[in-house]
Amino acid sequence: MSDATPSSENPGFDAMARDIAEVPAVEVIVTVAVNLMSAAAVKLGLTQEGEEHKDLDEARKLVQALAGLLDASATEISTFHASPLRDGLKSLQLAFREASVVPDEPGHGPGEKYTGPVYG
């Protein structure tokens, strides 16, 4: 027996696929970017719980992924969407640098291969 279930047996999947099909690509990209930003902020300890969820290794990965996404999608999303996302990314990069016991050299922090060096 196969693990794959035909879509006719799973009407919820069909509805979800229709919903996704109606969402413009720019909205999907922006939503993913905002989710990466939120997760990075939590891992940087920037939430009310602060130190409880702080994990700089995880934060580095999230900031790196966010920078890569923004770099790759720069020509696909408008400046209207890109500018605040880039500002948020820079804020996260600065917060990472401040949270690090031994900060990375300028140009070697998370995402800086895409954005260039970030200075406070």
Side-chain angles (χ1 to χ4, degrees), residues 37-50:
M37 290 175 81
S38 297
V42 169
K43 296 298 184 177
L44 284 167
L46 301 177
T47 60
Q48 252 182 338
E49 294 82 27

Side-chain angles (χ1 to χ4, degrees), residues 19-79:
D19 291 345
I20 291 171
E22 294 172 6
V23 177
V26 170
E27 286 186 39
V28 174
I29 293 167
V30 170
T31 300
V32 170
V34 169
N35 285 329
L36 286 168
M37 290 175 81
S38 297
V42 169
K43 296 298 184 177
L44 284 167
L46 301 177
T47 60
Q48 252 182 338
E49 294 82 27
E51 296 294 317
E52 183 180 338
H53 301 292
K54 190 172 184 178
D55 184 337
L56 294 184
D57 184 51
E58 291 290 303
R60 177 183 293 276
K61 294 171 188 171
L62 292 163
V63 172
Q64 182 75 12
L66 174 62
L69 174 64
L70 294 181
D71 184 57
S73 63
T75 59
E76 306 301 325
I77 61 177
S78 66
T79 303

